Amino acid sequence: MTLALNFGLGQAVLLVSRASAEAQNLDALQQLRETLAAQVGSSGKVDFEQVDRIESGAVSLASAQYDYVVANPAEPWAVEHSGRVLASLLLALKPSGSLAMRELVLDSTDSLVQLPITRTKDDLAQQLRFAGFIDSQITSCEPVSESTLQVLGESCWNLTDASAFVARASGHILVATVAAKKPAYNVGAATALSFGKKAKAKNTNDAHVATSQPAQKVWMINVESDDDAEIEDQDNLLEAEDLARPDIAALARPGDSAPRKKACKNCTCGLASGEVVDESLACKPTDKPKKAKKPVDVVNVKSSCGSCSLGDAFRCSSCPYLGMPAFKPGEKVTLGGSMLHDDFMP
């Protein structure tokens, strides 16, 4: 099974695959290259590049050089194109260039384990979209023959028991043919926004119209005429009833009733609850009068902490001895010596 390729004269084609002196597809790749060279003619070109060199970064493909890229076209299709390889192939394509590729896929994710093949056909299509390709589609998906599986197991993947692998993988490994395109722009391309051109054209048309006919003034404010403008007199806005003084009788309390007293804090006559109050009764205060505090006996006070006599640094915040000098316990604190006399001597 080979790709059906038909290119025109003068087109540039890149052939990407894995080939070596021991490879099974060396003759098929050489024959395919000669066929493609005959199709494009002398004015076109057909280049070949190893997929392993692209994967390792040993070679960098030039940007926008090829009309078509043909990847992994010949049996046994033992290449799984990574995201880096697909991105390099996209870069090498010209805008709107096409990709034709074949790759082995699994019929389901849990079919086989411990194999280089890890993707299904849906995963492959998704990987192409992630790389930047558009219009990607799986044109065909066919089972791989047992003879090709035998070559894969023995020569490509170096399996110890290739026959058991063929019996187990038969019908589960498929070869998918993929077609995709590069967008109609190159990486890093820039373009002018369309609304900018429309605005420029509109400004040109407006300028042409402005020169042909005078612009119409919709409205404007004449600042010079503000001094002559008539200002409304505020006194004319008042009516006769607005200027009349109110009657004292109209401001009197309705029914000529006495003002209501305000209830005290500890009301006992019923005024606070809205009851009818007998004026002869008076509220009796319920709060007991506070007793006056006894003065603190600073001299005979007994210390509860035992630190009062040591000085302010050892005293509590409520100590009665604050501000006094240190003394011996039981000793009366007095100010003696020259501290009773003024420092000023006439």
Side-chain angles (χ1 to χ4, degrees), residues 62-210:
S63 176
Q65 294 295 317
Y66 301 98
D67 300 298
Y68 289 91
V69 172
V70 181
N72 201 26
E75 295 185 19
W77 313 294
V79 176
E80 186 174 43
H81 302 86
S82 63
R84 181 173 184 175
V85 173
L86 293 176
S88 299
L89 299 183
L90 179 72
L91 181 65
L93 280 172
K94 296 179 180 179
S96 301
S98 299
L99 168 70
M101 184 180 68
R102 275 192 166 177
E103 184 173 318
L104 297 178
V105 295
L106 297 174
D107 58 345
S108 62
T109 56
D110 55 351
S111 297
L112 299 174
V113 295
Q114 297 180 354
L115 286 181
I117 303 174
T118 59
R119 296 191 293 218
T120 62
K121 61 179 182 179
D122 296 333
D123 298 335
L124 178 59
Q126 185 181 38
Q127 189 67 33
L128 287 169
R129 289 193 294 269
F130 286 162
F133 287 96
I134 61 173
D135 299 335
S136 60
Q137 56 182 348
I138 308 295
T139 58
S140 65
C141 198
E142 304 173 359
V144 179
S145 62
E146 293 186 358
S147 59
T148 305
L149 291 176
Q150 189 74 26
V151 174
L152 287 170
E154 293 177 353
S155 304
C156 300
W157 297 334
N158 298 324
L159 300 178
T160 56
D161 193 354
S163 300
F165 162 73
V166 172
R168 184 164 49 95
S170 180
H172 296 289
I173 297 181
L174 314 175
V175 55
T177 304
V178 182
K181 287 186 177 182
K182 181 178 179 176
Y185 53 85
N186 202 7
V187 177
T191 182
L193 299 178
S194 58
F195 63 83
K197 296 180 180 179
K198 293 180 181 179
K200 184 177 180 180
K202 183 178 179 181
N203 294 336
T204 305
N205 296 333
D206 293 344
H208 178 69
V209 172

Side-chain angles (χ1 to χ4, degrees), residues 3-342:
L3 286 173
L5 302 174
N6 189 13
F7 302 130
L9 294 175
Q11 292 182 332
V13 181
L14 175 63
L15 187 61
V16 179
S17 185
R18 178 179 295 158
S20 61
E22 296 82 13
Q24 301 293 329
N25 60 349
L26 185 59
D27 296 336
L29 289 175
Q30 184 64 31
Q31 184 179 359
L32 178 61
R33 184 174 184 179
E34 294 175 356
T35 303
L36 297 179
Q39 291 180 3
V40 300
S42 59
S43 58
K45 65 176 181 178
V46 178
D47 294 338
F48 176 80
E49 190 56 62
Q50 292 274 4
V51 67
D52 297 334
R53 287 166 52 85
I54 301 176
E55 175 68 31
S56 63
V59 63
S60 297
L61 299 178
S63 176
Q65 294 295 317
Y66 301 98
D67 300 298
Y68 289 91
V69 172
V70 181
N72 201 26
E75 295 185 19
W77 313 294
V79 176
E80 186 174 43
H81 302 86
S82 63
R84 181 173 184 175
V85 173
L86 293 176
S88 299
L89 299 183
L90 179 72
L91 181 65
L93 280 172
K94 296 179 180 179
S96 301
S98 299
L99 168 70
M101 184 180 68
R102 275 192 166 177
E103 184 173 318
L104 297 178
V105 295
L106 297 174
D107 58 345
S108 62
T109 56
D110 55 351
S111 297
L112 299 174
V113 295
Q114 297 180 354
L115 286 181
I117 303 174
T118 59
R119 296 191 293 218
T120 62
K121 61 179 182 179
D122 296 333
D123 298 335
L124 178 59
Q126 185 181 38
Q127 189 67 33
L128 287 169
R129 289 193 294 269
F130 286 162
F133 287 96
I134 61 173
D135 299 335
S136 60
Q137 56 182 348
I138 308 295
T139 58
S140 65
C141 198
E142 304 173 359
V144 179
S145 62
E146 293 186 358
S147 59
T148 305
L149 291 176
Q150 189 74 26
V151 174
L152 287 170
E154 293 177 353
S155 304
C156 300
W157 297 334
N158 298 324
L159 300 178
T160 56
D161 193 354
S163 300
F165 162 73
V166 172
R168 184 164 49 95
S170 180
H172 296 289
I173 297 181
L174 314 175
V175 55
T177 304
V178 182
K181 287 186 177 182
K182 181 178 179 176
Y185 53 85
N186 202 7
V187 177
T191 182
L193 299 178
S194 58
F195 63 83
K197 296 180 180 179
K198 293 180 181 179
K200 184 177 180 180
K202 183 178 179 181
N203 294 336
T204 305
N205 296 333
D206 293 344
H208 178 69
V209 172
T211 55
S212 60
Q213 59 182 2
Q216 297 181 357
K217 297 180 180 180
V218 180
W219 62 272
M220 62 178 297
I221 298 177
N222 190 359
V223 181
E224 297 178 357
S225 62
D226 287 348
D227 297 336
D228 301 333
E230 295 182 1
I231 301 177
E232 186 72 23
D233 189 2
Q234 297 181 0
D235 294 336
N236 296 335
L237 301 177
L238 297 176
E239 301 293 341
E241 57 184 10
D242 296 330
L243 300 176
R245 290 186 177 182
D247 188 7
I248 299 178
L251 300 178
R253 187 180 300 275
D256 198 16
S257 59
R260 182 180 178 183
K261 297 190 300 181
K262 185 178 180 180
C264 57
K265 183 178 179 181
N266 301 313
C267 180
T268 58
C269 65
L271 181 61
S273 58
E275 300 177 359
V276 179
V277 180
D278 188 357
E279 298 295 337
S280 61
L281 300 177
C283 291
K284 298 180 181 179
T286 57
D287 294 343
K288 297 181 180 179
K290 296 183 179 179
K291 296 181 180 180
K293 295 183 179 180
K294 296 181 179 180
V296 180
D297 188 0
V298 180
V299 178
N300 299 323
V301 70
K302 293 183 179 180
S303 174
S304 59
C305 61
S307 303
C308 297
S309 60
L310 300 178
D312 285 349
F314 302 93
R315 291 167 183 163
C316 305
S317 59
S318 60
C319 184
Y321 293 101
L322 282 176
M324 297 183 181
F327 59 90
K328 295 180 180 180
E331 180 183 5
K332 183 179 180 180
V333 180
T334 58
L335 298 178
S338 61
M339 297 185 70
L340 297 177
H341 303 284
D342 296 333

